[in-house]
Amino acid sequence: MASPLSGDGGDSSGDAVSLKIDTSKPHPARMYDYFLGGKDNYEVDQEAAEQFIKAAPEVRLAVRANRTFMHRAVRHVVAEGGIRQILDIGTGLPTEPNVHQIARAIAPETRVAYVDNDPIVSAHSRTLLDDDDHTSVVLGDLRDPRAILDHPDVRRVIDFDEPVALLLVAILHFITEEEDPDAIVAAFLDALPTGSYLILSHATVDIHDNDREDAVKVYNNATATMNPRDHGRVLEFFGGLALTDPGLVLVPHWRPDEPPQQDAPPIGIYGGVARKDG
């Protein structure tokens, strides 16, 4: 769950990244890492995350449910959709299994381009994947689709003449309406050929009414605000794509490996997978 904000993307070697690591404000990617029990975060991230947990105690379950949704969705598009290349925007800090590991367990030739704005994410990912010719790690800005699509390290592993799975997992809720998320998503989808897929998840307060306002406000002091949206609004991001069954649902209900626990707290994240048929 990474913030979309970014700088110029640095260079392909990772030696000239222009962004400094800002530890004065909490960062969504580092907070997400904390929610998952990771160590790649700072005190400012930990304090903000604890405030969020106090306001929304189910958040740790939610981020795990979101991540396992991503696992199932990636397996689906690779195994059933025949996808062999993935563009993952807002990848966040590496947490095993990563997208390329999930995909390659099915199709070892799968190529993956990871994009995130946080220099920590970029540095950690590059360290892990430095010797992998079929992956790339790019420091990029979701709000500048053209820069991502044209980036040489994206083009090195992604052939936009062949179907691509685009991952926008828990990132669009960091884009405000004023930043025109519809245009952002459309720009990426327009660049993808027929047979491509969109995997998307997005925070919502539909199931909590307004009792998560304090949690949402925690991000007002972070590097990006949180903007939960209702089911109908999230559905609009899929445009004219064909949603796979069961459609846009709360992430625990998207093709679960096991039936969701009846007594589990509700998870306020929608998830869906859709195919570009034309």
Side-chain angles (χ1 to χ4, degrees), residues 9-22:
D11 71 3
S12 61
S13 68
D15 295 329
V17 175
S18 64
L19 282 178
K20 294 180 180 179
I21 297 173
D22 183 0

Side-chain angles (χ1 to χ4, degrees), residues 60-134:
R60 290 190 187 275
L61 291 174
V63 296
R64 292 189 182 100
N66 179 68
R67 188 155 186 85
T68 55
F69 156 75
M70 182 271 288
H71 293 176
R72 298 191 303 273
V74 168
R75 289 200 301 265
H76 167 73
V77 299
V78 174
E80 299 182 40
I83 290 294
R84 296 297 180 265
Q85 45 184 8
I86 299 171
L87 177 58
D88 181 7
I89 302 178
T91 181
L93 285 151
T95 303
E96 291 193 351
N98 297 300
V99 169
H100 68 281
Q101 293 169 323
I102 297 164
R104 289 178 188 166
I106 300 167
E109 69 274 24
T110 305
R111 304 183 302 280
V112 180
Y114 291 108
V115 181
D116 202 283
N117 82 298
D118 190 342
I120 292 179
V121 173
S122 180
H124 279 245
S125 298
R126 282 194 175 110
T127 298
L128 290 173
L129 301 170
D130 193 43
D131 296 329
D132 190 336
D133 291 337
H134 291 130

Side-chain angles (χ1 to χ4, degrees), residues 14 20 28-29 37 44 50 52 137-138 153 158 175 182 197 223 229 233 252 272 274:
K20 294 180 180 179
V44 67
E50 285 295 338
F52 195 98
V137 180
V138 173
D153 276 355
I158 302 294
I175 296 288
D182 298 278
Y197 283 84
T223 57
R229 295 179 171 95
R233 182 69 184 94

